[in-house]
Amino acid sequence: MAEYRVGVLGATGAVGQKFIHLLRNHPWFKVTALGASERSAGKTYRDAANWVESTEMPEDIAKLTVTTCDPARMDVDFVFSGMDSAVATDIERSFAEAGIPVISNARNYRQHETVPLMVAEVNPDHAELIKSQSFDPNGRGFIVTNPNCVCIPLVLALKPIVDAYGVDEVILTSMQAVSGAGYPGVPSLDILGNILPYISGEEEKIGLEPLKLLGKLENGKVKFAEIPIQATSVRVPVIDGHLLSVTARLSKKPGDIEEVKNVVRNWKNPIADLNLPTGPDKPVRLYDDFRYPQPRHQSLAENGMQVGMGRLRASNIMDIAFTALGHNTIRGAAGCSILNAELLHAKGYFHS
Ligand code: NAP
């Protein structure tokens, strides 16, 4: 069994806590170092973190002293990053330059030419971009990112359809949970009994990140997919789970909607044979009952790693319409990173 000493950057935040929760019994990765801001450094994790997970804070983690996010202070094999994006650029680079791989949730390097933007089941081949990175001349340190928490359920739901028919354009509305805004996030008086019709910066990411994820690797570079995506992102009074309402125009016309349903049901997960510890048995589940999926009831399917797809139907205007649900801090953030790291281990990218 491989065992890696792992650091978590941004360990006190919403995503950082989810890393600690999800890694508590991980067979390969053991959290041994925690990084956060000057505000938290020097405190034990118990004192520094306002723990919002529903399981107890793991005792061995509670006793660790939080440090600043400095590679010289964290003696680890690699780090997961749930850093505030306002500070992630220099910090993540400093780890990669020091020979410590960074598996990041932050947006800062997602569009960097040599950095994979990866959802393990969608574009595992993009890991190859790591070979063209030059952060660390010794080739040990690198950066791999995962996308925004809406893009993950979107591309997982679209992937079978893109493979079978091609997709020409997409219009979607994302109804996003409050945990997506981090902790303490949106003031309760703004969101209780309300919907906020705008989330700053979100629609731009949803318009761009899927194009890299669904792009093809050609001569060592990603050739972006060409799919115009128009998104409207709203914040809804739900704790966890982003629900998307998606309409798509397809390049090749399907026979009928049953055929499309079978394409989704029969899609073959390209990394299924690796049996990765965090990998769901079924990354996308299509619900036939039009009442599902719902954030409160289906977000935690397959430990929060399964994307639920529902209401798949013919569209009056384009070709198909459907809903997609993803747990935003698990599948949409920490769980996606952990699965990416498991894939990188399986492909031999880590040097322990
Ligand atoms: P958050 O709850 O606000 O946590 C931010 C973390 O960054 C905290 O640990 C904070 O430490 C740390 N930090 C802030 N300033 C720092 C500094 N100068 N140096 C070092 N650490 C610093 O945010 P979050 O929701 O967990 O999001 C973290 C990242 O993941 C963001 O880039 C976000 O865009 C991305 N993301 C979030 C979600 C989601 O659903 N929440 C989904 C996908 C991606 P202190 O406690 O010490 O201030």
Side-chain angles (χ1 to χ4, degrees):
M1 273 292 153
E3 186 156 296
Y4 295 89
R5 297 160 310 150
V6 170
V8 178
L9 307 180
T12 49
V15 173
Q17 293 191 22
K18 193 58 86 181
F19 274 121
I20 287 163
H21 165 76
L22 293 175
L23 291 169
R24 66 200 185 287
N25 298 314
H26 197 279
W28 306 340
F29 307 150
K30 182 166 174 51
V31 176
T32 57
L34 305 169
S37 75
E38 296 279 359
R39 289 180 290 280
S40 307
K43 297 180 185 162
T44 61
Y45 189 66
R46 191 192 306 286
D47 291 337
N50 184 0
W51 187 250
V52 293
E53 288 296 318
S54 48
T55 51
E56 291 266 322
M57 184 186 284
E59 198 46 42
D60 55 330
I61 303 291
K63 290 188 218 151
L64 290 179
T65 300
V66 178
T67 67
T68 52
C69 295
D70 175 354
R73 288 170 178 272
M74 299 176 82
D75 185 17
V76 290
D77 299 311
F78 71 91
V79 291
F80 288 110
S81 168
M83 300 273 315
D84 192 326
S85 55
V87 294
T89 304
D90 291 346
I91 292 176
E92 291 185 352
R93 174 182 284 273
S94 71
F95 276 82
E97 286 174 351
I100 302 174
V102 180
I103 315 301
S104 176
N105 269 278
R107 66 165 185 267
N108 308 53
Y109 288 95
R110 288 177 189 160
Q111 295 302 338
H112 190 289
E113 216 185 16
T114 64
V115 171
L117 174 62
M118 220 165 64
V119 173
E121 301 96 326
V122 172
N123 57 338
D125 54 318
H126 288 200
E128 270 198 40
L129 285 178
I130 291 171
K131 293 177 188 152
S132 50
Q133 289 189 17
S134 56
F135 295 109
D136 169 18
N138 298 320
R140 294 175 76 92
F142 56 81
I143 301 177
V144 169
T145 58
N146 53 253
N148 160 282
C149 43
V150 171
C151 298
I152 293 170
L154 177 64
V155 294
L156 275 163
L158 277 180
K159 179 67 176 159
I161 295 165
V162 167
D163 288 351
Y165 304 106
V167 170
D168 283 349
E169 48 189 355
V170 171
I171 295 180
L172 73 100
T173 299
S174 55
M175 292 157 269
Q176 301 187 209
V178 287
S179 61
Y183 188 84
V186 189
S188 56
L189 274 180
D190 285 345
I191 193 70
L192 288 175
N194 201 15
I195 291 177
L196 302 177
Y198 173 65
I199 307 175
S200 173
E202 205 72 359
E203 293 163 8
E204 293 78 359
K205 285 182 261 180
I206 300 168
L208 187 58
E209 292 176 10
L211 311 185
K212 186 168 180 185
L213 288 152
L214 295 169
K216 297 226 177 325
L217 205 57
E218 283 181 9
N219 305 319
K221 291 192 172 157
V222 178
K223 184 170 186 296
F224 281 40
E226 291 178 17
I227 307 174
I229 300 175
Q230 183 179 318
T232 303
S233 298
V234 304
R235 186 75 69 197
V236 295
V238 160
I239 298 174
D240 291 316
H242 293 351
L243 184 69
L244 284 50
S245 169
V246 184
T247 308
R249 191 183 306 284
L250 309 187
S251 318
K252 233 173 39 195
K253 301 300 162 195
D256 60 16
I257 202 67
E258 273 314 308
E259 183 192 290
V260 184
K261 287 183 179 178
N262 283 330
V263 160
V264 174
R265 288 190 193 106
N266 299 330
W267 179 68
K268 195 164 160 13
N269 169 11
I271 60 164
D273 292 349
L274 295 175
N275 285 318
L276 300 175
T278 303
D281 288 340
K282 231 177 153 27
V284 182
R285 172 175 172 189
L286 178 65
Y287 290 84
D288 288 317
D289 185 330
F290 271 17
R291 290 174 298 171
Y292 304 119
Q294 299 176 10
R296 198 196 311 163
H297 298 302
Q298 278 80 37
S299 286
L300 281 172
E302 291 223 37
N303 301 317
M305 289 299 288
Q306 183 178 68
V307 165
M309 203 172 162
R311 302 208 54 209
L312 180 54
R313 60 204 190 279
S315 157
N316 294 337
I317 297 168
M318 296 192 179
D319 291 302
I320 59 164
F322 60 87
T323 59
L325 171 72
H327 193 298
N328 51 295
T329 57
I330 302 179
R331 181 78 253 200
C336 191
S337 287
I338 294 170
L339 187 57
N340 280 348
E342 291 169 358
L343 179 73
L344 295 171
H345 161 65
K347 290 185 173 232
Y349 283 96
F350 290 135
H351 309 271
S352 61

